[in-house]
Structures are given as C-alpha cells and as structure tokens.
Amino acid sequence: MTSGMRVRMAPSPTGDIHIGNARTALMNYLLARQSGGTFILRVEDTDRERSDAQKEAGIYDGLRWLSLDWDEGPNVGGPYGPYRQSERHDVHREAIEALLASDAAYYDYTTAEERAAEREAQIARGQTPRYSGSGRSLTSAQIAERQAAGVVPAVRFASGSGAVGFEDGVFGPLETDASEIEDFVIARGDGTALYNMAVVADDHSMAITHVVRGADHTSNTFRQVLLYRALGWEPPNFAHLPLLLNKRRQKLSKRDGSQWLGEYRAQGYLPEAVVNFMVFLGWSPGDERELFSLDELVDEFSLERVNRADAVYDVQRLDHFNGVWLRRFDMDTLAERALPFARAGGLPVDETQQDYFQQALALEQERISHLTDVPDMMGFFFDKDLDPDVELIRFRRHDRAETAAALKTVEGLVRELPEFSIGAIETMLRGLAERLGWKTGDLFMPIRIAVTGRRATPPLFETMAVLGRERCLVRLQRARAKLTA
Ligand code: GLU
C-alpha cells in the first residue's frame, strides 16, 4: 500500500451528487484513509452560470450524509488552496503561458465558420470529424487580418504525434498515439482554462499523487498526460473506475431511476446501504462477503481488486443492502434513523413517546425495506382515532353477530387480564378460541383488524402488548359497535 496518498474528488457543483461521482468520492476517501493520506475536495465551478453557494452546499451535504469527511476543501481550507477552481485562475494561466512560450500551445485564429466547414467536408468524405490544426498554419498576415476583424482566439494544445500512455491502476498499461488526439482547446477566448488544462494545473499544484476517477475520463487522461509532459511535470498515478451501465448494458439514463444521493436519502435508503452498494460497483472482496461498513472498507479496499468489467447498476441490489442494514441496526440506531421519517410522515411521536415508538419499531424491523415505509407501517400505533374497517373481516365461518359477540368477550378478558403481557395475552386468546370452538385464525384475524385496522401486521400478541390495554379496549369497542350497527 502506498503511504500518504493525496487524492481528490473534483465535482462540479450541481447541487447534489450523482452515484458515479459518489462512488469516485468513496473510493478516493478509502484510499486516503487507509494510506494515512489526505482526501481533498476541489470544486470545479468554472461553469459560473451553473455554480452557486447553495449547489456547493449540496455537495457537502451528500458527502457528509455518507460520512466521507474531507481534509482539505473550500470550506475547511488547507495548505494548497484555494479549493475552488474558479479561484485558481492564476495557477491555470501560468501553465497556459508556459505552454504558449514553448510552442506546445498556440492561439487559434480560425473562425467557427471555418472549423464548421472543415467538419462538414470531413463528414462528406466519410471521415470522423476532427480539428486538423489548421490554425497553426495561418500566416502572420492572416492572423493580423483576423485580429483586426475582432476574432478572439482560443488557445489550443498541439498534440503532436508519438506514443502516449500511462500505467492505469485498474486497467494496466494504456497507450495511444498522440496523432489520434486533435489539438484541443486549453483556454477560451477570455483566457479561462478548460477542464483538461485546469485539472492538470490543479492536480499538479495540489501535489495530488493519485487521480482516481471514472473510466469515462480515460480519453481525457491521455490529453492530460500530454500536458504534463509538455510542462515537464511528473504526472500523478492514474486509475479509472469501471463504467457504470444499466442492466441492459447501456449508459445510465434518467429512465433507470434515481441516481442522485438526495433522491436515495428522500426515498429512505440508509447511507450505510448506499456505501455498501457503491463499493460493489467495481470492487469485490474476492470472497463471498457482502456486508461492509465504511470502517471495514478502509481496511479491505484496494484498487487491485477493482474490476475492469463494466459495473452494472441494479437498484434491487441497493434495496437488498438497505433491508440487510435496516435489520442489522440495534434499536437505538434504527429509532434514531426512523424518527425523522415518522415525524415527516405525520406520526405524532412526542418526547414522551420515544419508548413506545421504539417498542413498536422493534416489531416492524423485520418488515421495513425503506425508512419511508415507517409512517404508513407504524401509523396504527399512533392513530388516536383509529377507525377499523370491519369489512376487512371475511365472515366465512362466523357471521357478523357471532364475531361481534366474540369481540365483546375479548374486551372483557382484556379488561380483566392481571398483567397485559405477551404471554398472558397469548394464553388468554388461545384459551378463548378453544372454549368457543373456533379456529385460532378465525378469532385472531377480527381481533387484529380491530386493534390495528389492517390484515397484515407484526405478530398479534406482541402488537397488542405494545399497543397496551387502553388502546386495545377502545379499538375493540369501536369495531364491535360497527359490527352491530
Ligand atoms: N469535474 C470532473 C467530473 O466531475 C472531474 C473529473 C476528474 O476527476 O478529473 O467528472
């Protein structure tokens, strides 16, 4: 393991974090923590129109929700700041000037019309359209003429030719020929740097040792290696994480459902489950284990175990992890997570009812798949005016009058039971079924419907014990009244 890695996440401030970037953040975080290194957050906010403080805050929120704390960043500072790309103009400019000075880059005075015409001609010839570098062969007279006409030049990097490659931490040695890479723009007409230029200047000046990001950036990495070379800088180590695809092996799109952290959170997924799910989008432990906490991953994760094969995004897997994590929590933790969802869903859980909430939640723990299930699932525990729908009773072997009479007997027994405990309730109700000569199910279902208002609930005796004697009595009475009305 490398010690003291300096790694970074470099998100554009979009207001939320996409699953692909969250995975990148997670894996960088793990590498930083396990190597005793530094996890840096650099906000790539050069697209000024789309950037604002609120959107940046959305990134912080998402990372904090996942517990991926960063060591350097816009809000915490650090020795390599500033950590917003928009504030690093001078750093970028210096690199651009150096490239211009050494003729590795040039001002391109071709016009948009000329480049469009070139493209069309290439397409007409059946070629892949690519900028030919014609700006390099303009004469000084032509340039002067264009300057006079107000053409604002972009700065392009002259890619040249010859092998360009790097050792990818996941994919092994990768190589292409520089002649395959068109002369790309590194600075706009207004002097600001474009992505490849800014990222190289920033990664270099921030002493980043490992750049770990999605494989959708591999083609950029070749360009970046060329820039490092032209600047005489040592490139960092690169590793690319496998592409994220949907189950049909296509690029993820909106049609594949939620992919943003904020959406997962709102839908009642646990950050633990999201972390567990994300690490398997590329990594595997090499054995059957599938449950990993963030701390465990700090010990276990390695780039060597990241697969080259595309990672398939399957939300059912996330659901699976969510269920497993929900059942793995101790009651205090589960209650702490569930309470905000209960309240947001309208359950009136006040301070005095925390214990009651927790006891009720314990009965539901097996059945919850998302925290958003909580308000509906637990509604009957908190509904003071629960009005059971007696039509849910099927009256197959016993009619309404018989059922009403049985519920009246239950009421009396509930009132008199010395101790309202699970065991006592069970003994009482089984004894009654026997005395009446009813199948237990025929007796228990109307009781269940009376006290909970639904047919599917946690086990009846436990549920009644948690509801308590008073709630059960009121509800049994109401059900009976409706049956005899
Ligand atoms: N802003 C880029 C992105 O979010 C950063 C890519 C990189 O890590 O260099 O994709």
Side-chain angles (χ1 to χ4, degrees), residues 285-301:
D287 55 36
E288 296 301 302
R289 287 173 303 156
E290 63 160 17
L291 225 58
F292 292 91
S293 68
L294 195 56
D295 284 346
E296 288 162 343
L297 287 172
V298 168
D299 294 333
E300 298 275 346
F301 181 78

Side-chain angles (χ1 to χ4, degrees), residues 71-114:
D71 310 299
E72 297 174 21
N75 60 332
V76 292
Y80 294 86
Y83 293 91
R84 279 185 200 97
Q85 205 158 55
S86 60
E87 294 164 12
R88 303 181 61 79
H89 182 73
D90 294 351
V91 177
H92 306 157
R93 209 50 233 173
E94 207 178 308
I96 295 163
E97 296 300 341
L99 291 170
L100 283 166
S102 65
D103 279 336
Y106 59 93
Y107 285 106
D108 179 13
Y109 282 92
T110 56
T111 62
E113 293 75 28
E114 284 171 330

